[in-house]
């Protein structure tokens, strides 16, 4: 797996110093006129008595004044902390340049500035065909009397080529009672990056959505979509004149966000290449979605997406309802080091749409606790070269551990080195024998349909305290202990990764332990492990 070094966050650290300089009082020697214009800050206080000129002493007092201005590279829009802009839309104009983004931030002290759309605007914060923007530390809501098409932040490009550098950080987006539409320009979301048009290939590049809160939003929490989605070589269905050839969003980072109480899907970086989705917490999705299924963190039609160090829980219903999903036209997706629990639909959906290709995906070193429904739901066609290895599953609720109702064959997925600790008699496997199982642990209850496995282990893996995890970082109950039946007897994997769930190194040349914990620390040249 290649190293991922997103450039946006590094450049942002450098820009922080520039922003501080930009807002400092002028020195005795005045800067050149061009520099002064680039460094200018404009102030907004929606609680001010009169319209001002945008200076700190006489701030603008409504967002219409902001929207009427075309901002230049390096300029800042600063909203007063403790103020509220009600029933208005923030739609500033202009674009920054490399090294000189336009920033939206705050001044003074107190609570974050509130942008309360009140259902009177479709999008509270809006950018269109603009680039090099950084938006920080705002509270955004958009609740109307009844549900309608609504978003918190909506950023679009249409027939305009590549747009670069977008940072959303420190935003608190909540109470957006949107509609239930799944696609295109009618979709509602807390954050929505959308590509429109069909004449010029268009995409976003260098997008960072970091350290935000998104809560009580319908239909999506964080959502990406494009009209440039067709991949005939993978069998993607032709979607007509509204769609162009596949032009994925690139350098997308979704990190450290707290997403909860979402009507539909929580985090969905659709149509991306190399997306990095990590350290996010999702609690509650498909809360208010009667018509369409939904999952927690997943992408459709993606290349090389990496999902790691996330916690996903509270998925409602078994219309999907899994915490994660390897979906149609996913190529090279990796889910690793994630904690999934208490999702009514299960742990992960493996789905390949009719006639399309889903290939080369890996699910490794994850922990699942008390996921129900269908732990693994294989509802669609085959996926190929999908490896599911070294995960630990603790099951105490009624569950279909494997639901392969469509009867997909072994090309669908290979299960190796996993621990299935089954603590419920209300479990079963459906058509699991058509899949490939090797070197797994099946402990506790042995439900009907348990698959054949030439190297299965059924004795106690000695998990420290299964069922006691309280968070992704408090899951030590899934450590193996001395005398475990899972030590140094797993299947050697071609691409095992570099670490286990708990951060212990994994050595590719060694026979691994089974499950998400690599307890053994050394191996002989012959590949036999030595336990601690």
């Amino acid at each position: 797996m290649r190293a991922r070094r997103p450039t946006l966050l590094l450049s942002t650290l450098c820009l922080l110093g520039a922003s501080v300089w930009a807002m400092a009082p002028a020195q005795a020697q005045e800067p050149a006129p061009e520099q002064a214009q680039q460094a200018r800050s404009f102030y907004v206080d929606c609680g001010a008595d009169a319209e001002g000129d945008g200076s700190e002493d006489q701030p603008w007092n409504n967002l219409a004044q902001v929207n009427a201005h075309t901002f230049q590279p390096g300029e800042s829009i600063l909203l007063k902390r403790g103020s509220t802009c009600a029933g208005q839309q923030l739609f500033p104009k202009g674009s920054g340049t490399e090294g000189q983004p336009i920033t939206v931030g705050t001044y003074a002290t107190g609570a974050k500035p509130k942008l309360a759309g009140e259902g009177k605007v479709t999008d509270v914060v809006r950018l269109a065909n603009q680039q090099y923007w950084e938006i920080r530390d705002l509270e955004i809501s958009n609740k109307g009397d009844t549900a309608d098409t609504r978003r918190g932040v909506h950023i679009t490009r249409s027939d305009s080529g590549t747009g670069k550098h977008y940072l959303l950080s420190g935003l608190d987006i909540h109470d957006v009672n949107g509609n239930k539409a799944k696609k295109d320009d009618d979709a509602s979301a807390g954050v929505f990056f959308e590509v429109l048009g069909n004449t010029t290939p268009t995409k976003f590049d260098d997008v960072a959505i970091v350290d935000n809160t998104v809560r009580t939003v319908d239909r999506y929490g964080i959502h990406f979509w494009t009209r440039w989605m067709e991949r005939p070589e993978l069998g993607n269905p032709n979607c007509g004149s509204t769609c162009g050839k596949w032009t994925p969003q690139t350098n997308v980072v979704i990190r450290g966000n707290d997403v909860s109480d979402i009507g539909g899907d929580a985090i969905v970086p659709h149509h991306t290449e190399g997306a990095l989705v990590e350290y996010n917490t999702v609690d509650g999705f498909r809360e208010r979605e009667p018509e369409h299924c939904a999952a927690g963190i997943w992408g459709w039609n993606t290349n090389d997406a990496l999902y790691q160090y996330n916690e996903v829980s509270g998925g409602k219903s078994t219309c999907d309802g899994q915490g994660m999903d390897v979906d149609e036209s996913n190529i090279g997706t990796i889910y690793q080091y994630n904690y999934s629990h208490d999702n009514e639909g299960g742990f992960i959906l493996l789905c390949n749409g009719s006639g399309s290709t889903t290939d080369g995906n890996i699910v490794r070193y994850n922990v699942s606790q008390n996921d129900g429904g269908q732990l693994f739901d294989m509802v669609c066609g085959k996926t190929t070269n999908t490896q599911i290895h070294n995960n630990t599953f603790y099951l105490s609720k009624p569950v279909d551990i494997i639901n392969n109702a469509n009867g997909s064959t072994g090309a669908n997925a290979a299960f190796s080195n996993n621990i299935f600790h089954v603590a419920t008699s209300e479990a079963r496997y459906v058509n699991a024998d058509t899949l490939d199982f090797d070197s797994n642990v099946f402990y506790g209850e042995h439900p009907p349909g348990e698959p054949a496995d030439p190297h299965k282990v059924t004795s106690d893996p000695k998990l420290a305290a299964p069922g006691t995890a309280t968070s992704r970082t408090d899951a030590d109950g899934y450590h193996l202990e001395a005398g475990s039946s899972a030590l140094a007897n797993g299947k050697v994997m071609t691409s095992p990764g570099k670490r286990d769930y708990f951060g212990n190194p994994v050595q590719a040349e060694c026979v691994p332990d089974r499950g998400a914990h690599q307890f053994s620390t050394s191996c002989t040249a012959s590949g036999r492990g030595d336990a601690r």
Side-chain angles (χ1 to χ4, degrees), residues 21 40 53 56 79 137 148 215 257 277 378 493:
W21 173 84
R40 186 177 178 187
D53 58 9
E56 187 171 7
L79 289 90
D137 300 328
D148 203 345
R215 54 190 170 91
N257 301 285
V277 183
M378 301 174 180
M493 305 304 300

Coordinates of all heavy atoms in Angstrom, one line a residue, residues 21 40 53 56 79 137 148 215 257 277 378 493:
W21 N -0.1 37.0 9.9 CA 0.6 38.2 9.4 C -0.4 39.1 8.7 O -0.4 40.3 8.9 CB 1.7 37.8 8.5 CG 2.3 39.0 7.8 CD1 3.3 39.8 8.3 CD2 2.0 39.5 6.5 NE1 3.6 40.8 7.4 CE2 2.8 40.7 6.3 CE3 1.0 39.2 5.5 CZ2 2.7 41.4 5.1 CZ3 0.9 39.9 4.4 CH2 1.8 41.0 4.2
R40 N -6.1 41.9 2.8 CA -7.2 42.6 3.4 C -8.2 41.6 4.1 O -8.5 40.5 3.5 CB -7.9 43.5 2.4 CG -9.0 44.3 3.1 CD -9.6 45.2 2.0 NE -10.7 46.0 2.6 CZ -11.5 46.8 1.9 NH1 -11.3 47.0 0.6 NH2 -12.4 47.5 2.6
D53 N -18.8 49.3 6.1 CA -17.9 49.1 4.9 C -17.1 47.9 4.9 O -16.2 47.7 4.1 CB -17.1 50.4 4.7 CG -16.2 50.6 6.0 OD1 -16.1 49.7 6.9 OD2 -15.5 51.7 6.0
E56 N -13.3 46.5 10.6 CA -13.7 46.0 11.9 C -14.5 46.9 12.7 O -15.4 46.6 13.5 CB -12.4 45.6 12.7 CG -12.6 44.9 14.0 CD -11.4 44.4 14.6 OE1 -10.3 44.7 14.1 OE2 -11.5 43.7 15.7
L79 N -16.3 36.5 10.4 CA -17.6 36.7 11.0 C -17.4 36.8 12.6 O -16.6 36.1 13.1 CB -18.6 35.5 10.7 CG -19.0 35.5 9.2 CD1 -18.1 34.7 8.4 CD2 -20.4 35.0 9.1
D137 N -14.7 27.1 11.4 CA -15.2 27.5 12.7 C -16.6 28.3 12.6 O -16.8 29.3 13.3 CB -14.2 28.4 13.4 CG -12.9 27.7 13.6 OD1 -13.0 26.4 13.8 OD2 -11.8 28.3 13.6
D148 N -37.4 19.6 2.8 CA -37.3 20.1 1.4 C -35.8 19.9 1.0 O -35.0 19.5 1.8 CB -37.7 21.6 1.3 CG -38.1 22.0 -0.1 OD1 -37.8 21.2 -1.0 OD2 -38.7 23.0 -0.3
R215 N -24.6 16.7 12.4 CA -25.5 16.0 13.2 C -27.0 16.4 12.8 O -27.2 17.5 12.4 CB -25.3 16.2 14.7 CG -25.2 17.7 15.1 CD -24.7 17.9 16.5 NE -24.4 19.3 16.8 CZ -25.3 20.2 17.3 NH1 -26.5 19.8 17.6 NH2 -25.0 21.5 17.5
N257 N -14.0 13.7 11.7 CA -15.3 14.2 11.8 C -16.2 13.4 12.7 O -16.1 12.2 12.8 CB -15.9 14.3 10.4 CG -15.1 15.2 9.5 OD1 -15.1 16.4 9.5 ND2 -14.4 14.5 8.5
V277 N -10.2 8.2 4.2 CA -11.3 8.4 5.2 C -10.8 7.8 6.5 O -10.8 6.6 6.6 CB -12.6 7.8 4.7 CG1 -13.7 8.1 5.6 CG2 -12.9 8.3 3.2
M378 N -24.1 -10.4 1.1 CA -23.7 -10.5 -0.3 C -25.0 -10.5 -1.2 O -25.4 -11.6 -1.6 CB -22.8 -11.7 -0.5 CG -21.6 -11.7 0.4 SD -20.7 -13.2 0.3 CE -19.3 -12.8 1.4
M493 N -0.7 -14.3 4.2 CA -1.4 -13.5 3.3 C -0.3 -12.8 2.4 O 0.7 -12.4 2.8 CB -2.2 -12.4 4.0 CG -3.2 -13.0 5.0 SD -4.3 -14.3 4.2 CE -5.2 -13.3 3.0

